[in-house]
Amino acid sequence: MTSDDLLAPLDLAFWNIESERHPMHLGALGVFTAHSPTAGAHAAELLAARAAAVPGLRMRIRDVWRPLAPGRSFPFGPGASLAFGGAAREPDPGFDPLDHVRLHAPTADFQAAAGRLMERPLERGRPPWEAHVLPGEDGTSFAVLFKFHHALADGLRALTLAAAVLDPVDVSPPSPSRPRRPEPPRGPLPDVSALPALLRGALSDARRAVGIGASVARSGLDVRSSPALTSEPSGTRRTAGAVLDLDDVHRVRKAVGGTVNDVLIALVAGALRRWLDERGDSSEGVAPRALIPVSTRRPRTAHPQGNRLSGYLIRLPVGEHDPLRRLGAVRTAMDRNKDAGPHRGAGAVALLADHVPALGHRLGGPLAAQAARLWFDILVTSVPLPSLGLTLGGAPLAEVYPYAPLAHGHSLAIAVSTYRGAVHYGLVADAEAVPDLDRLAHALTDETRTLIKACTP
C-alpha cells in the first residue's frame, strides 16, 4: 500500500462523520427519454456491464490501523498521521457489479422513489456506490439514481465515474495535462535546509486556523434562522426538483449585473422566503447561514480522487422583501468572499481537516457531525455537468437533479446544476421535518418569475 491509496484528510472526515441517520453520499437523479418500455431494463444491463470495466468503481474503503509497511519510512507532514487510524482505498477482490446496479419496479413518481433510496446508507464493506434504475409506469421514460459516498468522490469525481458507465462521450479537457514534476524522495525526517520554510508554513497554517475559528464564532452572532431549516434527525429523506430556463437566469444577470451563481443563490433566498410565509412560518428578519462549497482542486494536478473543498459562508437575505435588494445583498456577500479567497473566513472550516490526525478524525467524527448545526444552517452547492448531451443505451438524458448529503441537525440541502440550457435544482430534506418539500420546489419557479418581472422595465 502506498500513500496515494490513503484517504485524503477531508475524505477521512466524510467517512467518519457518517451515521445511520446521516449517510454521507452524493446523489444524482437522471431522467431519460425511453424509446421502448424495455429501455429501463436494457439500461440496467448496460450499467452493470460497463461498471465492471471502470477501476474507480471497484475501490472499497478499508480501515488502516497499522503503519504503511514494516520498515518503510513515513512522509513528513500531515500525511504522516494517516498511517495509523486512517483508511485507504483498495480494489475489492469480490467486486460484482450486479451488487451495485439494481432494477426496480415501474414507478409513477421518480422523486418519491429517489427520496426513499437516498435515506439508505451505502454498504461500507464494499465499493460505496450504487445505481438504481427506475422504469416509468408510462413506458416513455426511465430514471437512474446514482449514489456515491463523499469519501469515494466529490462532485467532479462522481461525474467522471457516472459518465464512464453512460454512452461514450468526450468530457475530458481539450488540452493535455502537463506531466507532474517528480517529487524528491522523503525520509523519516525533513531536509534540514527546508526547516525554516516548513516552520513558516506551520505558523501560517496556525494563524489561518485561528482566523477561521474566529470567523466561525462571529458568524453565529445576531443571526435569526428558521426552525424549518433545523431539526432532530429522523433518518428519513424526501427529494424534489425544479427546472428553470437558463435564458431567464441570464436575462436577470444582464439586467442587474453579478454572476449566474449570484442569481441562483438569490433565487434560493427568495424561494425560502415565499415558502416560509406560505407554510405559516414568519420570514421576517430571517438570515440563515448558507454554506457555498468551493473547489480548491488545481486543474490537472490535484489527486483525482481526494476531496479538495473549502467554502464561502453567506447570510441569505430571506427577510428582505424586495427581490432586487435580495440579489444585491447576495452579490455583495459573494464579492466579499471572493476578495478574501477560499482559504479564509468561516466557510473554510473544511480546510482544517488537513491538520487533524487520522485518529482524531476517527474518534472525533460524531462530535464534528454534531457541530455542523453551529457552523451553517443550509447547504447550497453547485455540481458541474458537461454541456454535451448524455445518453444511456441511446436514450437521451432529459433532466438531472443533483442531491447533496444532509448534515446532522439540518432539514434541507440544495444542489444545482446547469444542463442543456436548463437549471436543475435538486432538493433533499428530512421527510418528517419537511413534508411540504414540493412547495419549496414550486417556490423556486415562482420566484424566478418574480425576479424577472422586478428587473423588467
Side-chain angles (χ1 to χ4, degrees):
M1 182 178 297
T2 68
S3 60
D4 287 341
D5 299 320
L6 294 166
L7 295 192
L10 189 53
D11 298 342
L12 190 61
F14 287 135
W15 189 246
N16 284 299
I17 66 176
E18 181 173 63
S19 65
E20 186 71 20
R21 293 188 173 186
H22 283 89
M24 291 301 298
H25 52 251
L26 309 169
L29 180 70
V31 180
F32 296 82
T33 301
H35 300 301
S36 72
T38 61
H42 179 54
E45 294 174 356
L46 285 176
L47 292 174
R50 293 170 178 174
V54 181
L57 297 179
R58 304 177 67 93
M59 304 300 288
R60 67 181 180 183
I61 296 176
R62 181 172 62 86
D63 291 335
V64 177
W65 287 93
R66 60 182 185 275
L68 294 174
R72 176 175 294 186
S73 59
F74 294 93
F76 184 85
S81 63
L82 294 174
F84 186 80
R89 297 181 184 87
E90 66 176 10
D92 182 1
F95 174 72
D96 184 349
L98 295 178
D99 292 334
H100 300 264
V101 179
R102 298 165 190 173
L103 177 63
H104 295 258
T107 178
D109 190 338
F110 294 140
Q111 291 287 356
R116 292 189 294 269
L117 292 169
M118 281 296 290
E119 69 186 40
R120 302 178 188 175
L122 294 165
E123 291 193 32
R124 293 170 71 93
R126 61 189 186 188
W129 69 273
E130 292 175 351
H132 297 269
V133 181
L134 309 167
E137 281 187 349
D138 58 4
T140 63
S141 63
F142 68 90
V144 179
L145 174 67
F146 288 102
K147 293 167 57 178
F148 295 97
H149 198 286
H150 216 329
L152 179 70
D154 60 7
L156 185 58
R157 175 67 174 169
L159 168 63
T160 302
L161 292 173
V165 292
L166 299 180
D167 294 345
V169 60
D170 183 14
V171 295
S172 59
S175 58
S177 60
R178 295 182 179 179
R180 296 186 65 179
R181 180 179 299 176
E183 296 183 2
R186 295 180 291 184
L189 293 176
D191 183 354
V192 174
S193 63
L195 281 176
L198 289 171
L199 182 58
R200 287 195 299 271
L203 291 175
S204 176
D205 288 344
R207 286 194 295 268
R208 184 174 67 179
V210 171
I212 292 173
S215 297
V216 172
R218 289 194 298 270
S219 71
L221 299 176
D222 301 324
V223 175
R224 179 171 179 256
S225 185
S226 168
L229 301 181
T230 58
S231 67
E232 291 302 317
S234 71
T236 59
R237 292 293 182 271
R238 185 183 304 274
T239 65
V243 183
L244 312 179
D245 192 327
L246 184 58
D247 286 342
D248 289 339
V249 176
H250 280 298
R251 188 183 311 171
V252 173
R253 178 190 61 80
K254 291 177 181 178
V256 299
T259 67
V260 166
N261 202 41
D262 294 340
V263 178
L264 297 179
I265 296 171
L267 288 173
V268 171
L272 287 173
R273 174 184 175 84
R274 185 184 299 268
W275 174 64
L276 290 174
D277 289 341
E278 287 178 353
R279 74 198 314 252
D281 297 332
S282 174
S283 64
E284 188 66 29
V286 171
R289 296 162 298 176
L291 177 63
I292 316 294
V294 177
S295 175
T296 60
R297 182 193 299 256
R298 293 182 179 179
R300 308 186 188 96
T301 59
H303 194 288
Q305 293 179 334
N307 279 278
R308 297 292 186 271
L309 293 173
S310 180
Y312 296 144
L313 200 68
I314 72 170
R315 298 186 183 185
L316 293 180
V318 174
E320 172 57 58
H321 73 279
D322 184 274
L324 294 182
R325 289 182 179 177
R326 281 197 299 271
L327 176 53
V330 168
R331 181 182 176 185
T332 299
M334 289 298 291
D335 286 346
R336 186 183 304 116
N337 275 300
K338 292 172 187 175
D339 289 342
H343 295 87
R344 297 181 180 179
V349 167
L351 297 177
L352 302 183
D354 289 343
H355 306 286
V356 177
L359 195 58
H361 282 297
R362 181 180 299 277
L363 299 178
L367 182 61
Q370 296 277 352
R373 182 186 292 183
L374 303 177
W375 178 21
F376 64 97
D377 302 302
I378 184 173
L379 178 72
V380 183
T381 185
S382 177
V383 181
L385 288 177
S387 58
L388 299 175
L390 301 174
T391 60
L392 177 56
L397 177 64
E399 303 170 17
V400 57
Y401 302 96
Y403 301 133
L406 196 59
H408 189 282
H410 291 185
S411 301
L412 177 66
I414 298 177
V416 58
S417 288
T418 57
Y419 175 70
R420 306 286 286 177
V423 178
H424 293 80
Y425 281 92
L427 285 64
V428 178
D430 185 288
E432 292 187 8
V434 187
D436 56 344
L437 187 63
D438 287 342
R439 293 175 63 183
L440 178 57
H442 290 306
L444 281 163
T445 303
D446 294 339
E447 184 61 24
T448 303
R449 289 193 289 263
T450 298
L451 192 52
I452 290 175
K453 183 178 180 180
C455 66
T456 301

